[in-house]
Amino acid sequence: MSILNETQKTKNVKAASGRSLAKGMIATATGSAGININGVNGLDEDSTTHLSKNIIEGAFLSDQLKHEILIGEKLYKKLKLKLNSKVVITLSLIHI
């Protein structure tokens, strides 16, 4: 059993979520930028961070779709993105 599973089952723990961390690049037709990537399970993540309450445009991560991403407002504006814009993400190093 994983540390995350054990933590989630602990009596006094209300919520816990795991992350895979990586550094990489995001590229669009209008530019590129270096980024920090947090790979998460959307349902677990929202139970700990409540990020779904801060979504400005679009929807929070679902457990039904693949290839979904959340982008901060600053990067969104820098890359001149729109909802459902195509992006290419390149990972350089993953820390699990």
Side-chain angles (χ1 to χ4, degrees):
M1 195 161 263
S2 73
I3 293 172
L4 177 60
N5 288 339
E6 289 294 324
T7 303
Q8 289 171 327
K9 291 180 179 181
T10 302
K11 182 180 178 182
N12 294 324
V13 173
K14 291 183 181 181
S17 61
R19 294 185 178 182
S20 296
L21 306 176
K23 295 198 178 287
M25 293 286 295
I26 185 169
T28 68
T30 59
S32 63
I35 56 173
N36 291 316
I37 301 161
N38 294 305
V40 300
N41 173 299
L43 296 175
D44 288 346
E45 186 67 19
D46 198 40
S47 70
T48 58
T49 63
H50 309 289
L51 279 175
S52 64
K53 296 177 183 177
N54 297 317
I55 302 297
I56 296 170
E57 184 178 358
F60 191 69
L61 304 171
S62 77
D63 60 347
Q64 304 297 317
L65 301 174
K66 292 183 179 183
H67 310 297
E68 293 179 301
I69 61 173
L70 291 179
I71 295 179
E73 186 176 14
K74 184 176 177 181
L75 183 61
Y76 179 83
K77 288 180 178 178
K78 177 182 178 179
L79 297 178
K80 301 175 184 166
L81 294 171
K82 295 181 179 157
L83 193 59
N84 296 315
S85 292
K86 301 284 185 199
V87 299
V88 175
I89 296 177
T90 306
L91 303 176
S92 59
L93 184 59
I94 298 175
H95 301 282
I96 299 176

